[in-house]
């Protein structure tokens, strides 16, 4: 049988999936997909979703599989070589006849395996092109739905819904979406677009958490969702963006500790009257189940933010942006509370750069160094508007992957540099939004960086 268990939780492991006889073996995991062997001779390979236990077989006479994203590599003893399957749809034999190839390991477009010649050679090969996706729709609402379809293919019980017409309330929403294992979708102020309703139906979601008050999402949206038979929760709101972020922080803390898990003790702090810095850090905050707190550029702290820092056990604060966006006075006010909770001086840490693009690169650099995220995937979104990064960032946070911001027509030098430095660690890149918001020229630049890493 399969069991899943949340790290640091005192809850019992939860059984899922279909019982198989004899027991499964050689389980490999990437994101929410697992591959495993089964059968009397352990010579069959299956694939299953951790989310709902749904899966299928990769075929008989197969063994020792590995998985990355939508690709599965496994041995094919009947042919004496390996086989690569993409998204359970097509399969390609790899290798040369008569030379048995075993023990595959797949990451991104790289495949390593053992070849039974010369006393066992280790071979690494790669595809001719790096793995770069583009997740987009005809507008901001459909792009968020496209991110949901891509990252929540097996469905979700809940949806977090934010207005797509303005950014403030949504800036803090990604960590709550991560806790719920839910996508973040966008709505118009007064009605839900049909594409969003269709995606909620595809997901099989029954609960919708609306972020923001009536000024952001009108009561007519709530009525429309309830008419569809959905449960609507409107507790994630406050009198302003700072109070909304406070409400989300308390809900997140209560939910995590209610699961008998340890709270991270961290908060990420960003300017509340602009979107780039909060968007860049949203996947990192989500991946660590840490709140995003909004501040003004200059002191004093908003009362709602000060309340969270006072009453939640936040011992570390990470400020996104330089002193021109979050002043030293605000930093000192934050340190009063982190020092109190730690019991010794707890200076805030800044993730900053010369502009919004360099700041997003700094967020990635620091988050990877601290093992908060990995580079199995890296998201790319325009830094000049907020909608695509909202849904895409929340989805990336669910998978523990970071987001970089780019200019629409050209990759900024700071982003180019951080991608070049880590190119060998990147499994794939995902561009959120169509070519009108992130050009094909940007995609070509990213492809060149990843190609150079493949060639080394």
């Amino acid at each position: 049988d399969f069991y899943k268990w949340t790290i640091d939780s005192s809850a019992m492991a939860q059984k899922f999936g279909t019982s198989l006889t004899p027991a499964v073996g050689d389980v490999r995991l990437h994101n929410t997909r697992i591959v495993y062997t089964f059968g009397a001779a352990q010579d069959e390979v299956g694939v299953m979703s951790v989310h709902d236990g749904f899966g299928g077989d990769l075929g008989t006479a197969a063994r020792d599989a590995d998985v990355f994203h939508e690709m599965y590599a496994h041995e094919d003893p009947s042919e004496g070589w390996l086989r690569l399957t993409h998204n359970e749809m097509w399969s390609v034999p790899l290798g040369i006849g008569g030379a048995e190839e075993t023990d595959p390991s797949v990451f991104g477009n790289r495949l390593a395996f053992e070849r039974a010649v010369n006393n066992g050679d280790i071979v690494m090969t790669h595809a001719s092109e790096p793995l770069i996706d583009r997740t987009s729709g005809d507008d901001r609402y459909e792009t968020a739905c496209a991110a949901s379809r891509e990252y929540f293919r097996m469905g979700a019980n809940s949806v977090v819904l934010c207005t797509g017409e303005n950014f403030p309330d949504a800036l803090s929403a990604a960590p709550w979406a991560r806790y719920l294992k839910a996508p973040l979708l966008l709505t118009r102020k007064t009605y839900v677009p049909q594409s969003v309703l269709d995606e909620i139906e595809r997901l099989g979601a029954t609960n919708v958490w609306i972020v923001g008050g009536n000024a952001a999402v009108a009561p007519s949206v709530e009525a429309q969702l309830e008419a569809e038979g959905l449960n609507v929760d409107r507790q994630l709101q406050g009198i302003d963006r700072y109070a909304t972020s406070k409400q989300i922080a308390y809900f997140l803390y209560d939910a995590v500790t209610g699961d008998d898990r340890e709270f991270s003790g961290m908060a990420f702090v960003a300017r509340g009257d602009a979107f780039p810095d909060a968007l860049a850090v949203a996947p990192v905050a989500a991946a660590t189940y840490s709140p995003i707190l909004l501040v003004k550029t200059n002191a004093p702290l908003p009362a709602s933010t000060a309340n969270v820092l006072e009453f939640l056990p936040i011992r570390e604060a990470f400020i996104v942006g330089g002193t021109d966006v979050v002043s030293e006075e605000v930093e000192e006010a934050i340190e009063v509370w982190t020092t109190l909770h730690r019991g010794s001086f707890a200076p805030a840490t800044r993730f900053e750069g010369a502009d919004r693009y360099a700041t997003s690169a700094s967020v990635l650099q620091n988050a990877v160094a601290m093992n908060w995220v990995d580079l199995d995937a890296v998201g790319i979104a325009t830094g000049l508007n907020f909608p695509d990064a909202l849904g895409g960032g929340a989805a990336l946070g669910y998978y523990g992957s970071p987001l970089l911001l780019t200019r629409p027509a050209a990759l900024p030098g700071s982003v180019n540099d951080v991608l070049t430095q880590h190119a060998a660690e990147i499994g794939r890149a995902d561009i959120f939004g169509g070519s009108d918001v992130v050009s094909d020229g940007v995609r070509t630049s990213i492809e060149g960086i990843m190609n150079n890493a493949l060639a080394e």
Side-chain angles (χ1 to χ4, degrees):
D1 295 331
F2 289 101
Y3 290 84
K4 58 183 176 181
W5 175 72
T6 301
I7 294 174
D8 294 331
S9 172
S10 62
M12 296 293 291
Q14 178 186 354
K15 181 179 174 180
F16 73 101
T18 304
S19 297
L20 298 170
T21 305
V24 299
D26 295 326
V27 177
R28 307 281 184 89
L29 166 74
H30 185 251
N31 290 334
T32 61
R33 291 182 175 88
I34 59 174
V35 291
Y36 55 91
T37 57
F38 68 99
Q42 293 284 288
D43 59 356
E44 298 181 68
V45 170
V47 57
M48 184 180 293
S49 165
V50 175
H51 179 73
D52 62 3
F54 177 80
D57 297 348
L58 292 182
T60 57
R63 64 190 182 204
D64 198 20
D66 197 16
V67 57
F68 178 86
H69 191 45
E70 298 176 335
M71 292 185 294
Y72 312 89
H74 62 85
E75 297 177 15
D76 186 347
S78 66
E79 300 290 345
W81 53 45
L82 305 179
R83 189 168 290 274
L84 186 67
T85 302
H86 183 269
N87 199 22
E88 305 162 54
M89 298 191 58
W90 50 262
S91 185
V92 177
L94 302 171
I96 55 177
E100 184 178 0
E101 296 170 333
T102 59
D103 301 316
S105 178
V106 61
F107 177 83
N109 278 27
R110 298 178 181 85
L111 179 69
F113 56 89
E114 181 178 351
R115 175 172 287 164
V117 294
N118 298 327
N119 296 318
D121 290 337
I122 300 297
V123 179
M124 186 175 78
T125 186
H126 60 80
S128 58
E129 296 181 357
L131 188 59
I132 302 177
D133 298 321
R134 186 185 284 275
T135 300
S136 64
D138 291 338
D139 57 28
R140 60 188 62 188
Y141 306 99
E142 293 192 11
T143 293
C145 289
S148 175
R149 288 192 298 272
E150 174 66 25
Y151 288 82
F152 296 86
R153 295 192 175 192
M154 300 302 178
N157 297 323
S158 300
V159 164
V160 173
L161 191 66
C162 304
T163 177
E165 298 181 13
N166 209 345
F167 64 84
D169 289 328
L171 292 180
S172 303
W176 183 244
R178 172 67 180 94
Y179 174 78
L180 294 175
K181 301 180 178 65
L184 190 155
L185 300 179
L186 304 179
T187 182
R188 295 190 180 273
K189 178 179 178 179
T190 58
Y191 71 93
V192 184
Q194 187 60 47
S195 59
V196 178
L197 291 175
D198 291 344
E199 177 58 13
I200 293 173
E201 181 179 5
R202 183 201 69 82
L203 288 163
T206 56
N207 305 299
V208 178
W209 290 77
I210 296 178
V211 178
N214 292 342
V217 180
S220 56
V221 167
E222 181 179 354
Q224 184 182 2
L225 294 168
E226 289 177 339
E228 296 288 332
L230 297 163
N231 302 315
V232 180
D233 195 302
R234 298 217 63 168
Q235 297 179 79
L236 301 182
Q237 61 172 296
I239 60 173
D240 57 22
R241 64 195 69 186
Y242 308 102
T244 296
S245 72
K246 166 192 168 183
Q247 190 76 345
I248 295 171
Y250 273 101
F251 264 73
L252 181 67
Y253 174 78
D254 289 343
V256 170
T257 56
D259 286 344
D260 293 324
R261 291 155 59 192
E262 184 176 355
F263 176 59
S264 70
M266 303 188 302
F268 295 89
V269 180
R271 180 179 175 180
D273 60 352
F275 59 82
D277 294 341
L279 291 179
V281 83
V284 178
T288 58
Y289 297 97
S290 303
I292 299 172
L293 302 181
L294 303 181
V295 296
K296 299 176 182 179
T297 296
N298 296 306
L301 292 174
S304 299
T305 302
N307 177 277
V308 175
L309 289 166
E310 179 179 1
F311 289 105
L312 292 189
I314 294 171
R315 299 177 295 276
E316 291 183 281
F318 299 90
I319 299 173
V320 187
T323 55
D324 56 329
V325 294
V326 178
S327 69
E328 291 181 355
E329 291 76 16
V330 171
E331 180 179 349
E332 291 168 359
I334 291 169
E335 290 172 346
V336 168
W337 297 115
T338 55
T339 295
L340 177 69
H341 292 304
R342 180 181 287 180
S344 60
F345 183 53
T349 301
R350 283 188 184 266
F351 302 155
E352 60 182 309
D355 55 25
R356 63 189 63 188
Y357 310 107
T359 294
S360 76
S362 175
V363 170
L364 181 147
Q365 193 82 285
N366 282 281
V368 170
M370 296 181 186
N371 293 317
W372 291 336
V373 297
D374 59 44
L375 296 177
D376 285 9
V378 173
I380 311 289
T382 177
L384 297 186
N385 210 343
F386 67 91
D388 295 340
L390 280 177
L396 290 166
Y398 177 62
Y399 280 81
S401 300
L403 175 71
L404 290 169
L405 303 180
T406 183
R407 294 189 180 93
L411 199 65
S414 55
V415 176
N416 181 93
D417 291 346
V418 77
L419 286 174
T420 300
Q421 179 181 347
H422 293 284
E425 305 165 56
I426 298 172
R428 67 184 184 95
D430 196 352
I431 299 171
F432 294 97
S435 56
D436 56 330
V437 292
V438 178
S439 70
D440 288 335
V442 170
R443 179 190 178 117
T444 299
S445 296
I446 297 170
E447 186 174 14
I449 292 168
M450 294 178 70
N451 263 328
N452 288 338
L454 289 174
E456 291 178 355

